[in-house]
Amino acid sequence: MPTPPLSDLFINGTWQPASERFDVRDPATDTVLAAVADADVPTGLTAVTAAHDALPAWAATPPRERAEILRRAWEIMTAESAAITRTIVSENGKAWADAAGETAYATEFFRWFSEEAARIAGDFRRAPAGDKTIVLDHRPIGVCVLITPWNFPAAMATRKIAPALAAGCTAILKPASETPLTALLIAGILQRAGVPDGVVNVVTTSRAGELTKAMLADERVHKLSFTGSTAVGRLLLHEAADRIVSASMELGGNAPFLVLEGTDVDTAVEVAMVAKMRNGGAACTAANRFYVHASLAAAFSSALTRALEKIRIGPGSDRVNDLGAMVSTVERDKIADLVRTAEAEGAVVNTAGEAPDRGAFIAPAVLAGVAHGTTITRTEVFGPVAPIVAFEDEADAVRMANDTEYGLISYVVGGTVEDAMRVGRQMDSGMVAINRGVASDPAAPFGGTKQSGLGREGGFHGIHEFLEPQYLAVGL
Ligand code: NAP
């Protein structure tokens, strides 16, 4: 089987060029990696036609058969993990270890949902009044539009495609325009795994707004699953409202990281390095604000700076580097601006290490003496910057941690597990990481409260975002 071209549209099982193309760049070197097909609205809608036409047969495919195709996708992606990792590094800029970690995480969604495909449980019971039997079935929701961001080009795609296919739905994936190449590689894997034509389509475009609006207005589309910023999520919810399209939203975060009184500073820094630095800080789950008990704040701040000074900054293609490039110079400049604003608002900036001049690199920084409520505590940083707020009173720390419109994840590091659990339960977020720097797991429900989103991905819940319950009232 010839290697499919990496830069065309994947519609109805065929690779299709487009009359226009847009460049995808390597942010570490600022070189062009590929000129990718730029779908316009009519072309994008042919993907809806393909998904619509493929739906009846895929929905009727026995769950075990769907499961086996997903399992093959897991096997192929596992075997080809190095190619996926290389592509993530080249288009996103992240460090090799981060990309390899993402590939492993992304691949696992195919295995997890291959297992879930055959276990969609319903309900069957006698009504309390005794007049009928209540039968609850689950049906695939239909044609799904999946929209993903640039920060996890593989994992955000598989976290949606795998449950959609397991549920019997068909899909159109629109990856971020900065990182479409990984999504196209995944399309090729799914094709080789035996996914029938039209069941998964990948449409790359520089006209996300126009195309998505047209898809959501199309009566053949039943589901929107979006991962990205809260601002775009809000706009898409408005668009989905016109036709009451079911919407799952994985949106922005502003994760608090609490270090409680009595915590060992080295342990807290070890956990903080993971929570802050995974993916170079460009994660919706990244620790965004550190609330540290006043008795530990100075020691924590210097130990964190020392740990950050040890990391190597440079292109992800060189596997020794721990921190790669940001996805673009625009993103890098936004982070640098936030640091300048924090300094103007009273923070003491301790920069750790030096970033290469060329490419979208930025050196990490620890910001000491930050006041809660200043700009950096209210903004998703999305980079390797750690603002530290000292607190005296635990209740005050909990109040500050929850004082945000976001509610994706919180981190609590405590002197004892009991302390950390007690405080963790008070966090107003969909996920709480207790004494550890990462919570994401394909087997666990990922998602947020407040303006961090609607619904859950992964775990037992993930497949239900793509299923419609149907209740049958059966006369006795
Ligand atoms: P973004 O700007 O919201 O873009 C996300 C996706 O939406 C991209 O594919 C983008 O396409 C598309 N898009 C942009 N404007 C659109 C519009 N008007 N209509 C339809 N689609 C549109 O987010 P990002 O900068 O890529 O990603 C960073 C954000 O994602 C952060 O806020 C982060 O917290 C969030 N995120 C959340 C999770 C989670 O699970 N909760 C996970 C990862 C990231 P283009 O690329 O063509 O603009």
Side-chain angles (χ1 to χ4, degrees):
M1 161 93 46
T3 311
L6 286 178
S7 57
D8 283 346
L9 309 170
F10 184 68
I11 297 177
N12 205 20
T14 60
W15 295 91
Q16 302 180 13
S19 54
E20 290 178 51
R21 308 189 81 83
F22 64 93
D23 286 345
V24 178
R25 307 182 89 84
D26 180 341
T29 57
D30 198 30
T31 50
V32 174
L33 295 165
V36 169
D38 193 353
D40 56 14
V41 171
T43 312
L45 291 180
T46 64
V48 174
T49 303
H52 173 74
D53 293 349
L55 182 64
W58 183 247
T61 300
R64 173 71 70 213
E65 219 173 287
R66 297 202 297 258
E68 281 166 1
I69 291 174
L70 289 170
R71 174 84 188 188
R72 273 200 296 282
W74 173 74
E75 285 164 3
I76 299 172
M77 198 159 163
T78 302
E80 298 179 5
S81 62
I84 301 279
T85 299
R86 203 174 306 115
T87 305
I88 296 172
V89 167
S90 66
E91 62 179 353
N92 171 280
K94 67 178 75 173
W96 186 276
D98 281 331
E102 181 190 346
T103 302
Y105 175 53
T107 306
E108 203 52 35
F109 284 105
F110 286 134
R111 179 158 65 167
W112 173 259
F113 283 110
S114 77
E115 291 156 351
E116 288 300 283
R119 315 236 185 284
I120 302 167
D123 192 15
F124 182 94
R125 68 202 145 92
R126 194 164 176 220
D131 60 332
K132 61 186 171 303
T133 299
I134 294 171
V135 176
L136 174 66
D137 200 0
H138 292 285
R139 307 197 302 176
I141 199 162
V143 171
C144 307
V145 171
L146 315 176
I147 303 179
T148 50
W150 50 260
N151 65 335
F152 289 102
M156 298 303 97
T158 58
R159 201 165 76 177
K160 296 184 189 304
I161 294 172
L165 267 55
C169 295
T170 58
I172 303 113
L173 171 70
K174 195 223 73 68
S177 51
E178 272 119 334
T179 56
L181 302 178
T182 308
L184 293 170
L185 266 188
I186 291 171
I189 289 173
L190 287 164
Q191 189 178 34
R192 282 178 285 140
V195 171
D197 295 350
V199 169
V200 172
N201 306 274
V202 179
V203 175
T204 51
T205 184
S206 67
R207 294 168 262 209
E210 264 174 69
L211 182 54
T212 309
K213 199 177 171 68
M215 285 183 181
L216 292 176
D218 190 313
E219 62 181 15
R220 297 169 299 175
V221 169
H222 306 101
K223 174 81 197 181
L224 167 67
S225 176
F226 172 77
T227 298
S229 61
T230 296
V232 173
R234 186 178 294 117
L235 187 117
L236 291 176
L237 276 172
H238 281 288
E239 288 178 7
D242 284 343
R243 285 184 42 257
I244 323 291
V245 172
S246 160
S248 300
M249 294 273 147
E250 294 289 348
L251 308 177
N254 181 2
F257 185 108
L258 275 65
V259 182
L260 306 183
E261 187 175 12
T263 306
D264 171 60
V265 169
D266 291 339
T267 307
V269 168
E270 205 179 299
V271 178
M273 284 294 285
V274 179
K276 179 71 259 182
M277 295 304 292
R278 192 168 73 100
N279 230 38
C284 50
T285 51
N288 207 54
R289 318 166 267 148
F290 291 81
Y291 296 94
V292 184
H293 190 265
S295 61
L296 307 169
F300 178 81
S301 170
S302 16
L304 185 60
T305 310
R306 279 197 305 280
L308 288 169
E309 274 162 358
K310 289 194 195 120
I311 69 167
R312 284 153 297 197
I313 312 169
S317 54
D318 185 345
R319 299 185 192 193
V320 300
N321 289 321
D322 309 297
L323 175 62
M326 301 296 105
V327 75
S328 64
T329 49
V330 173
E331 282 298 313
R332 178 202 59 195
D333 294 348
K334 273 195 220 163
I335 299 163
D337 272 353
L338 267 175
V339 173
R340 273 191 290 275
T341 305
E343 197 167 22
E345 291 178 346
V348 177
V349 178
N350 295 305
T351 306
E354 226 169 278
D357 291 338
R358 186 157 171 256
F361 294 95
I362 189 164
V366 174
L367 312 187
V370 172
H372 174 72
T374 52
T375 308
I376 197 140
T377 65
R378 302 234 165 258
T379 316
E380 192 175 25
V381 180
F382 240 56
V385 176
I388 297 174
V389 180
F391 71 87
E392 300 277 354
D393 176 46
E394 191 182 281
D396 209 25
V398 169
R399 182 194 57 77
M400 291 190 286
N402 288 333
D403 178 26
T404 167
E405 69 269 30
Y406 296 105
L408 190 59
I409 187 167
S410 312
Y411 297 86
V412 184
V413 186
T416 65
V417 174
E418 287 77 12
D419 282 343
M421 287 283 287
R422 178 174 42 76
V423 174
R425 288 206 168 95
Q426 297 173 64
M427 294 293 104
D428 191 359
S429 55
M431 300 176 286
V432 185
I434 308 273
N435 290 338
R436 51 177 292 122
V438 61
S440 305
D441 188 315
F446 186 105
T449 60
K450 301 192 269 184
Q451 295 189 31
S452 284
L454 296 170
R456 294 292 182 269
E457 290 190 326
F460 299 122
H461 296 73
I463 199 166
H464 285 277
E465 301 285 322
F466 296 95
L467 290 166
E468 190 79 80
Q470 185 178 49
Y471 153 52
L472 297 116
V474 183
L476 294 172

